Amino acid sequence: MKIDKILITVIFSGLIVHSFALDNTDAVIIGHVVSRGEHIPFVNIYLEDTNYGTTTDVTGHYMMVDLPEGEFVLVARMVGYKIQKKPVTLKAGETIEVNFELEEDVLRVGEVVVTGTKTFKRQTESAVIVNVLDSKTIKSVAAQTVSEALNFQPGLRMEVDCQTCNYTQLRMNGLGGAYSQILVNNRAVFSPLTGLYGLEQLPSEMVERIEVVRGGASALYGSSAIGGTVNIITRMPQRNSYEITSNNSVIEGGAADFNLNGTLTALSQRRNAGVALYTSHRQRDLYDHNGDNFSEMPALSNNSFGLNSFFKLDANQELQFNFSSMHEYRYGGEMVDGPAFLARQSEERTHDVLMGGADYEITSEDYRTSFVLYTAGQYTKRKHFTGIVPDNPAELQEYNNNPPYGNSENYTLQVGAQLNHTVQDFIKGNNTLTFGTEYVVDDVYDVIETYNYLIDQNSRNIGAFVQSDWEITRKTTLLAGIRADKHNFVDNLIVNPRISLLFKPDINTQLRASWSTGFRAPQAFDADMHIAFSGGGIQTISLADDLKEERSQSLSASMNWDKPTEKHIYGFTLEGFYTRLNDAFILEEVGRDANGNSLMEKRNGGLSNVYGATFEARANYNRNFQIEAGITWQKSQYEEQVEWSEQQPGVKEYLRTPDTYGYYTVTWTPGNRFSAALSGIYTGTMLVPHYGLASDAGTPEQDLLDNTPEFLEMNLKLGYIFNMRRLDSSIELFGGISNMLNHFQNDFDTGKNRDSAYIYGPAKPRTFFLGLRIFN
């Protein structure tokens, strides 16, 4: 198959960079920054809406010289503390002293987010609930990858779906991974192919925060944003810093998992340019849980590198650029040396992934209007092997002569523009209007000639959206938007509206309600591109010839309440949700090929309903003891039975979907050095298909639908920081246990004919870890 080579040049024209030199004014500001009686180093101090800024030194003091004359706002900003602003008047030849006392932002319920509206808003002012998972929480739960961190958000559940290669998917509010839109730095560069392993391939050290919007968001993000949106925001430089972390783990039974991560951030003297660099290396051994010499966790070798940078061209123009490169080798199956095709059953993957993007933003002088041009993309090249040795000698000879190796090539490109304009006194209150258009192309070519397996898919979508974010009063905000998409796999133009209402009856409470529609294009997604082992052969998925788009309607209502006092803060969020799918995609077994391999087909299955509730609770006492927890109760059903197997009757329930799941985190930091974190993940019972082979003792006699046990995965992390003042650095020693109770699946199939998709529960058994972090 010949693949078109696309060369795209993005030209930003009409950019005028204003460069000028100021005479020495001798206008000077000096001061210090403290919190709870202690000076704070490396706090960002700058004049708002200018390029003038600095950071406090290691003693918590700062100085800014040769500043422009006039009236300005001086800002003190530091991650983990509430922003503080003070008005200042600067005059030539005068020195003024401005000191700050910052308040710790304990639960960060007022953090500025972008995912819910595509504009920057505080969480408490957004008409859409946006949950934030910050780097501090990610560190406290000892998550090595983004996939491990996402379990600690309400309504979200990461699951492993293959015993051999351990590919994962993210489920949101009871819907499968293909219903979730994954963004990196606000851009949709996660393709259907990269979704198979991508979240596990992203190291957590590169992440500044993860924003999560549950529920329909197709009115902003187009196809596949039915279950929700996850926006992975990578680190942006805020000060000159470095951090090196080594985490060494031993998985139950002796398999080693070694992780080494490094980050470096640097800012120019005027804070108008900066770069954050990160690098990561991971090496993990094969792990065999049931002693059959076939792995339940694959071997991994991963090397990643990336950067995130910004350049403030002047007070009103900014350019941002990000780039990453990842190489990963992954092998699972029979634990033998030599080429993969000599193993009786195995999967081997070699990924090379390049990803990047650029944003240019210009803002008007009154900061009421902004215009953004952006582009982002990824390129993935993959070599892979998926094979099971035949028992018949003649078939074995043919297998050895032509082993099932394959190749994949995939690129994604997104280009777009967005205009934001705030209309003051819009009938009543202010209204921020957003207009945008974007074009996304995704091309996948995946082939295994031995199996006559081929996916050659080129999807193209052009969309345009408009949104009104109307703050009618200080208590009431109405968010309304609509998006039109033309997808090359869908005959007609698809229009999706969204309406959300925020009402704040008092300073502590926010009430929200939302309605939206969405769609999913009739194309192959991540799970459709995975070849599983089943019934002594392989299992493949094809698309029905008459497959058409899936449509959705979503409703949600919520109450958010937080109460701060002098020494503590506590609160909760209660949300109910409902999603109705029309022409829902289903998978049904349609037979077997001449070699006995299972054939599954994706079809339209009529109506489907997903509904439930999520409850979150949070509390912090005296800034040193914090607890957060969330639980989701839900039901997911088709209105007609799905024939998942030719041997068993169909069912209406969603498979691999528990009705109850949740998480908790408890952190204790009695001082600036010692920390302790206890966390847990609860997974309720669910129905999981189990495909058997009558002639093999390692599998069931026939296909079964098993009701799995419930699991409670408990984790403990302890840490202690040693300050090295002469080096302006610190060292943290940490260690702990993941899955302390060793709640892990104990009924895996055995041998080469195992059903590799029969896997559920926690991603790994009990694991001991010990690490070292050096930072400033």
Side-chain angles (χ1 to χ4, degrees), residues 38-52:
E38 294 189 3
H39 285 87
I40 310 175
F42 313 121
V43 178
N44 297 317
I45 309 292
Y46 58 92
L47 294 178
E48 194 171 48
D49 301 332
T50 75
N51 290 332
Y52 293 90

Side-chain angles (χ1 to χ4, degrees), residues 133-175:
L133 185 66
D134 60 22
S135 58
K136 182 178 179 181
T137 303
I138 293 173
K139 280 186 171 65
S140 70
V141 299
Q144 297 298 308
T145 65
V146 170
S147 64
E148 293 178 1
L150 286 174
N151 280 308
F152 296 93
Q153 280 292 290
L156 272 61
R157 190 175 70 85
M158 289 296 307
E159 69 176 27
V160 177
D161 282 346
C162 180
Q163 182 185 5
T164 307
C165 72
N166 278 194
Y167 94 85
T168 60
Q169 66 171 304
L170 170 66
R171 292 183 178 267
M172 299 182 69
N173 282 358
L175 292 168

Side-chain angles (χ1 to χ4, degrees), residues 329-344:
Y329 173 79
R330 176 183 297 247
Y331 173 86
E334 187 179 17
M335 299 166 63
V336 294
D337 295 329
F341 78 92
L342 293 180
R344 287 183 292 166

